[in-house]
Amino acid sequence: MKVHRAQENPFAPIDMLGAKKTELRTQFAALCYRMRKGKPEILLVTSRRRRRWIIPKGWPQDGMLPAQSAAIEALEEAGVEGKTHPVSLGHFSYTKQHVSGRALPCVALVYALKVKTVHDSYRESKQRKRKWFSQAQAARKVTDPELAFLIATFDPNHLKRA
């Protein structure tokens, strides 16, 4: 049960899967990019279980701003560090399969992270693959239509000032 919004309309209301509003989970994600020949390249990582291409994301970190939490996830899941933009690019919704087997509705707020350092060794290097893609390729590789839209329309030259 992956899709929360109609495939034809990535902006349809979020399907709560019968959950109460207090059961909606929030995560923070990093859209990691670098510039090559004036165009952004996007770094994707594989999910641990299903090996789908995704962006690094995770739970809020105590005492950290959302963009900082996203940067921590980028370091742990993709082994990259850089400058994180403090204003969210947008969000996407998805279903997270809890270890109990229960489907949890989640929303991930996405923050741009301009990669400065790529580490050879990082926390989840044995659990995930990482790969750079052109912007168009990255948008095609992810399965979530909202995330694909965010990637396809991302323009680092138009990041809003904080």
Side-chain angles (χ1 to χ4, degrees), residues 46-89:
T46 56
S47 62
R48 284 191 279 208
R49 280 187 258 154
R50 294 176 52 205
R51 311 303 287 173
R52 294 174 297 113
W53 289 108
I54 61 171
I55 61 174
K57 65 181 178 311
W59 304 111
Q61 304 278 332
D62 285 339
M64 290 189 182
L65 295 171
Q68 292 170 316
S69 289
I72 294 293
E73 296 303 324
L75 179 59
E76 291 177 358
E77 295 183 10
V80 295
E81 293 182 275
K83 181 174 173 48
T84 308
H85 195 270
V87 178
S88 173
L89 296 172

Side-chain angles (χ1 to χ4, degrees), residues 111-129:
Y111 294 85
L113 185 147
K114 186 171 186 180
V115 174
K116 301 286 185 197
T117 305
V118 179
H119 298 280
D120 292 331
S121 178
Y122 53 99
R123 179 185 268 182
E124 297 185 15
S125 63
K126 292 185 178 13
Q127 300 169 321
R128 301 177 188 274
K129 290 182 182 179

Side-chain angles (χ1 to χ4, degrees), residues 93-113:
S93 61
Y94 61 99
T95 302
K96 185 166 191 70
Q97 293 299 324
H98 191 266
V99 290
S100 68
R102 182 169 178 228
L104 299 174
C106 294
V107 172
L109 276 68
V110 180
Y111 294 85
L113 185 147

